[in-house]
Amino acid sequence: MATSTSSKLSKDVKQHYMDLPQGDKVQAMYIWIDGSGEELRCKTRTLDSEPKTIEELPEWNFDGSSTYQSEGSNSDMFLIPAAMFRDPFRRDPNKLVLCEVLKYNRKPAETNLRNTCKQIMSMVDNNHPWFGMEQEYTLLGTDGHPFGWPSNGFPGPQGPYYCGVGADKAYGRDVVEAHYRACLYAGVDICGTNAEVMPAQWEFQVGPTEGINMGDHLWVARFILHRVCEDFGVVVSFDPKPITGNWNGAGCHTNFSTKEMREDGGLKIIEESIDMLAKRHQYHIRAYDPKGGLDNARRLTGRHETSSIDEFSAGVANRGASIRIPRAVGQDKKGYFEDRRPSANCDPYIVTEALVRTCLLKEEGEEPRDYKK
């Protein structure tokens, strides 16, 4: 199994330096989404004291020409702190700082989808929209081969790996356990994890989380996973179909509810929302992966526990549908529904925004409405 050269450096030697006192100074790692809309970048600055609120963090800048976000002739981009977490790698009092990116003219960068999402969420505060996202991912060696798979072949067919236990079924659990604990330390709303159907594929869940916090927490959980994998010398892939053939893809199933849905009789509101979603299927498909549906086309085939990308469907306890109503929700007549269409590499800001636009703002048609006009 190919692992990174950096992972072979002595961790004991590094720890000697990490144990040195840092005085009153604080290291703040600024994190942002780059021009791909999928990858994360980061850099660190020193603060004179521990920040207690996001307002205490200074703006910063970076070279956007090196992150696919600007031309070299006008490359300065602004980092605007948006959410702050404890740093599980450097530990307290150090911080992880998730940032929005603004262009030279102070307008949001093309991949800064948080900006509009925050505006949309502020319009529905009284509805208290809750989200829970199920992030599937695949562990790979640095050569791109799935972690633990035979170097010149395939493991046994799918069946024993989902929630599996044992060295021949669970590939890479150390990464999963480290990530889980690091998220808890950071303050991420992680609520669970499990091995998935394909070997070397795992899932963690974040939520229930309200409004804009859903995107913030999922992006930081992804960043922490990348960093944990870096320490172990392996790679995490959020590709929705990393291995072709008779292997499950990777999604980011999104659970959604509003205050009305969670109250008695809420099933009626859920069903009305599903009717509205059915009329905007193509809008949601375009929003649910960074390439406007092209990535999901490899995954949403109607096989391997997916619906067809071309057709909208819904059902109780049906994992082959676009929208699944959990059986307990059908019995209790209230609760939430699960949108199974988002891909593993989706941007949670636009996924949650799209659900709010359709289900709460009751938008129609194939384009989002511009409320700034």
Side-chain angles (χ1 to χ4, degrees):
M1 172 57 60
T3 55
S4 71
T5 304
S6 295
S7 69
K8 298 177 175 64
L9 294 172
S10 172
K11 304 304 179 185
D12 291 335
V13 172
K14 175 191 173 187
Q15 194 58 45
H16 166 76
Y17 298 101
M18 297 304 290
D19 288 339
L20 293 173
Q22 61 187 73
D24 294 329
K25 303 292 186 180
V26 171
Q27 290 173 283
M29 181 174 282
Y30 281 43
I31 304 162
W32 70 97
I33 302 162
D34 73 10
S36 71
E38 301 180 58
E39 301 298 331
L40 291 160
R41 307 291 179 115
C42 65
K43 63 176 185 172
T44 300
R45 70 182 298 164
T46 303
L47 305 177
D48 290 332
S49 60
E50 181 180 0
K52 302 299 182 184
T53 65
I54 200 72
E55 289 75 24
E56 295 176 36
L57 291 161
E59 292 184 14
W60 207 6
N61 56 69
F62 68 96
D63 170 17
S65 68
S66 298
T67 61
Y68 317 118
Q69 288 172 293
S70 70
E71 296 180 357
S73 59
N74 191 9
S75 65
D76 280 1
M77 310 282 285
F78 296 101
L79 291 173
I80 313 300
M84 182 169 64
F85 297 80
R86 297 169 71 195
D87 187 337
F89 305 102
R90 295 167 173 151
R91 303 196 180 188
D92 289 338
N94 304 299
K95 304 298 181 186
L96 301 179
V97 182
L98 182 67
C99 300
E100 288 195 31
V101 176
L102 301 184
K103 296 186 287 190
Y104 70 94
N105 57 6
R106 308 287 296 184
K107 292 184 178 180
E110 283 73 16
T111 54
N112 177 4
L113 303 183
R114 186 184 192 276
N115 191 272
T116 303
C117 180
K118 186 177 180 180
Q119 176 204 356
I120 295 300
M121 292 301 172
S122 70
M123 297 171 64
V124 296
D125 277 346
N126 293 338
N127 299 96
H128 299 287
W130 288 4
F131 303 93
M133 300 187 80
E134 306 169 20
Q135 178 67 71
E136 294 179 335
Y137 61 93
T138 308
L139 295 177
L140 309 173
T142 53
D143 58 358
H145 196 68
F147 182 82
W149 284 34
S151 57
N152 293 309
F154 297 90
Q158 297 182 154
Y161 307 108
Y162 173 71
C163 297
V165 178
D168 58 340
K169 301 177 184 69
Y171 300 179
R173 193 184 296 274
D174 283 355
V175 172
V176 176
E177 294 296 337
H179 173 251
Y180 201 152
R181 188 62 58 90
C183 283
L184 290 173
Y185 182 94
V188 170
D189 288 338
I190 189 170
C191 62
T193 190
N194 58 268
E196 267 302 333
V197 176
M198 187 180 84
Q201 186 186 71
W202 294 81
E203 173 185 299
F204 65 87
Q205 303 93 32
V206 174
T209 303
E210 187 165 328
I212 194 68
N213 292 330
M214 181 67 253
D216 292 347
H217 282 244
L218 189 65
W219 272 116
V220 171
R222 286 175 175 176
F223 172 81
I224 292 172
L225 182 55
H226 279 297
R227 276 288 287 105
V228 167
C229 285
E230 183 181 319
D231 283 348
F232 280 101
V234 297
V235 176
V236 57
S237 170
F238 296 111
D239 189 280
K241 189 70 175 179
I243 305 297
T244 58
N246 196 25
W247 303 99
N248 273 36
C252 194
H253 304 152
T254 301
N255 302 279
F256 175 61
S257 70
T258 64
K259 185 174 181 290
E260 275 192 300
M261 293 179 190
R262 297 187 293 270
E263 294 173 344
D264 288 344
L267 182 60
K268 180 176 182 294
I269 307 300
I270 291 173
E271 291 171 340
E272 290 173 357
S273 294
I274 292 173
D275 287 341
M276 289 185 281
L277 288 167
K279 297 172 184 175
R280 295 192 97 195
H281 179 60
Q282 290 306 317
Y283 161 67
H284 283 265
I285 288 296
R286 289 199 308 274
Y288 284 179
D289 79 51
K291 297 181 178 65
L294 293 178
D295 278 347
N296 245 340
R298 295 183 284 122
R299 167 181 162 258
L300 296 179
T301 61
R303 301 181 62 220
H304 305 112
E305 299 183 42
T306 70
S307 58
S308 168
I309 194 170
D310 299 316
E311 298 176 6
F312 181 88
S313 57
V316 175
N318 183 0
R319 282 178 164 77
S322 307
I323 304 293
R324 179 181 72 94
I325 299 176
R327 191 169 301 282
V329 172
Q331 294 170 346
D332 296 342
K333 309 297 183 186
K334 62 180 179 180
Y336 66 96
F337 66 82
E338 176 191 46
D339 192 333
R340 297 178 61 82
R341 294 171 293 177
S343 65
N345 62 344
C346 70
D347 189 319
Y349 294 127
I350 195 170
V351 170
T352 55
E353 175 191 321
L355 285 166
V356 166
R357 283 179 178 275
T358 300
C359 299
L360 286 175
L361 299 179
K362 299 183 175 12
E363 291 185 13
E364 298 178 346
E366 295 303 325
E367 296 298 331
R369 185 181 304 164
D370 185 355
Y371 294 94
K372 295 178 182 177
K373 292 182 179 179

